[in-house]
Amino acid sequence: MNKKSKVGFQSVLNIIFRGLLVFVLSLQYALAAAPEASAAIPAYVIGPGDVLNINVWKEEGLQQEVLIRPDGGMSFPLAGDIKAGGKSVEQLQKLLSSKIKRYIPDPVVTVSVRQIQNNKIFVVGKVNRSGEYIGSAYIDVMQALAMAGGLNAYASSNNIRILRRVNGKVKSILFEYSEVASGAELHQNIILKSGDVVVVP
């Protein structure tokens, strides 16, 4: 192998090595970030308008589709009238089991959300399609802005506010679009809660 061939071969090896190094580092970062990302996602909270599928194993008469009333309540055979709003799916399963086990030993209750109607968010201001949006269980700010058609040309992108009602008081949360889009302030891209209002000045 002549000198020129050796140099060319070494260059190819260097490129391959660098590519493998980037891949390994990216994989390590993804694996390290995965538990943190999953831990940040809260459990879905059942609310008015949601439609649930509720099944008690091996009990044909206890398999129903249930609509959550505006007051957050629902009715189910052997359990009576119970408060489902504000509970997670797991919490509701446990509550139903505790009620039904008075009549059926060791009931296996399964609850699933068939239709989400409770997760309403609002995007107002200088976006292309302001209004009310019903989304899946987890919608972050960037996704909400995309649903609203994005910012218009007059939007103050780094002064967006999320208004959230907590214990009767309104909390204002800053969202800087350009900073999040560049990857600098990703923690601002929070998961929105039902009733949140995204205000784009």
Side-chain angles (χ1 to χ4, degrees), residues 1 4 7 28 44 46 55 77 90 112 117 155 180 187 192:
M1 184 181 292
K4 185 180 289 186
V7 172
Q28 287 178 338
Y44 178 69
I46 297 166
N55 296 282
E90 184 179 358
S112 60
Q117 291 293 333
V180 174
H187 67 277
L192 296 172

Side-chain angles (χ1 to χ4, degrees), residues 156-161 173-177 199-201:
S156 178
S157 63
N158 282 341
N159 197 30
I160 297 170
R161 294 279 172 174
I173 305 168
L174 177 66
F175 180 84
E176 299 169 293
Y177 182 91
V199 181
V200 182

Side-chain angles (χ1 to χ4, degrees), residues 60-99:
E60 291 186 8
L62 298 178
Q63 299 178 9
Q64 293 190 8
E65 187 176 278
V66 178
L67 173 67
I68 305 302
R69 301 192 305 264
D71 63 355
M74 56 159 277
S75 297
F76 193 76
L78 303 185
D81 197 75
I82 60 176
K83 183 78 171 178
K87 293 181 173 60
S88 67
V89 168
E90 184 179 358
Q91 289 171 334
L92 182 57
Q93 284 180 169
K94 289 180 179 178
L95 177 59
L96 285 168
S97 294
S98 68
K99 299 278 187 181

Side-chain angles (χ1 to χ4, degrees), residues 110-152:
T110 302
V111 177
S112 60
V113 182
R114 182 178 180 275
Q115 188 175 357
I116 294 174
Q117 291 293 333
N118 170 57
N119 199 31
K120 295 181 180 180
I121 59 170
F122 304 84
V123 184
V124 298
K126 293 174 182 174
V127 292
N128 291 309
R129 293 191 303 272
S130 63
E132 173 188 292
Y133 293 91
I134 300 174
S136 62
Y138 310 114
I139 302 173
D140 60 35
V141 183
M142 290 294 274
Q143 290 170 331
L145 292 173
M147 291 167 70
L151 310 181
N152 68 29

